[in-house]
Amino acid sequence: MVAVKGDSRERLIAVATELFGEQGYHQTGTEEIVRRSGVTRGSLYHHFADKEALFEEVFDRADQVVSARVRAAAAAAAEQGKGAWSVFLAGWDAALDTAVDAPLQRIRVVDAPAVLGWQKWQERNARYTLANIEAGLVTLLEQGVLAPQPISPLAVLLMGLSNQAVAAIAGAPNPVRARRDIGAALRRLLDGLRT
């Protein structure tokens, strides 16, 4: 159970993150969020228009967690002196590794499309996922690892690939095995991008 310290808004977000991750959006009521947060219902509606608005904040933070893990893995590979291609793959590995984090993926890929709607989910997801992929592709292009081509369309396709891979791993009966198998297939596919 999450510690409920800090201001009421942060407590609401922390408890909602835990509950949405464990139970799912539709199985979590605002009464339970309020009770476990130790705040009043008025405080909930002071900070968030409704449960969906609270979920949006939880989703954004979950996406930031994944993005931070991707950037940290890429930075670690770069610090180890690995080449641009290995740095790019380290980011992909980190993204796929998050798929075995069931609560995180329940929020990001199970509930978010239904709660936010497909279009809004894609727009919000693109802020981090698409930005990370585009940055990696630009570096590969600058380093001569990627053949000259427009980056934006390729990044959009790879974002779709990333989302589908994460969803498949998260929803698999054996996520660890699915992570391994999908990761291997993804590497073979990505290898086709190299010059």
Side-chain angles (χ1 to χ4, degrees), residues 71-105:
R71 288 191 320 271
E79 286 174 11
Q80 294 169 6
K82 295 186 177 178
W85 185 249
S86 293
V87 169
F88 186 67
L89 291 179
W92 276 92
D93 283 341
L96 294 183
D97 288 346
T98 68
V100 297
D101 183 334
L104 184 64
Q105 296 315 329

Side-chain angles (χ1 to χ4, degrees), residues 13-175:
I13 293 166
V15 169
T17 298
E18 181 180 335
L19 292 173
F20 292 154
E22 289 174 1
Q23 302 173 175
Y25 175 83
H26 296 292
Q27 291 72 34
T28 301
T30 56
E31 274 303 319
E32 185 176 10
I33 294 169
V34 167
R35 181 180 50 76
R36 287 184 54 184
S37 299
V39 302
T40 64
R41 179 169 287 285
S43 181
L44 170 66
Y45 293 114
H46 169 74
H47 295 295
F48 302 98
D50 53 21
K51 186 170 100 168
E52 184 178 321
L54 174 58
F55 180 83
E56 282 186 47
E57 180 65 28
V58 168
F59 169 78
D60 286 344
R61 291 190 183 197
D63 245 15
Q64 290 171 29
V65 165
V66 172
S67 181
R69 290 180 188 176
V70 167
R71 288 191 320 271
E79 286 174 11
Q80 294 169 6
K82 295 186 177 178
W85 185 249
S86 293
V87 169
F88 186 67
L89 291 179
W92 276 92
D93 283 341
L96 294 183
D97 288 346
T98 68
V100 297
D101 183 334
L104 184 64
Q105 296 315 329
R106 176 187 287 269
I107 292 165
R108 291 186 67 243
V109 298
V110 175
D111 285 345
V115 175
L116 303 176
W118 181 259
Q119 186 64 35
K120 192 174 193 179
W121 175 65
Q122 287 291 301
E123 290 167 2
R124 295 182 89 83
N125 183 250
R127 289 184 302 173
Y128 300 107
T129 304
L130 190 60
N132 285 338
I133 292 170
E134 284 182 344
L137 291 173
V138 166
T139 300
L140 292 177
L141 191 61
E142 292 170 350
Q143 301 279 327
V145 178
L146 185 66
Q149 60 187 290
I151 294 297
S152 293
L154 180 57
V156 168
L157 291 174
L158 291 177
M159 183 179 81
L161 176 66
S162 172
N163 288 340
Q164 191 58 44
V166 167
I169 294 166
N174 184 335

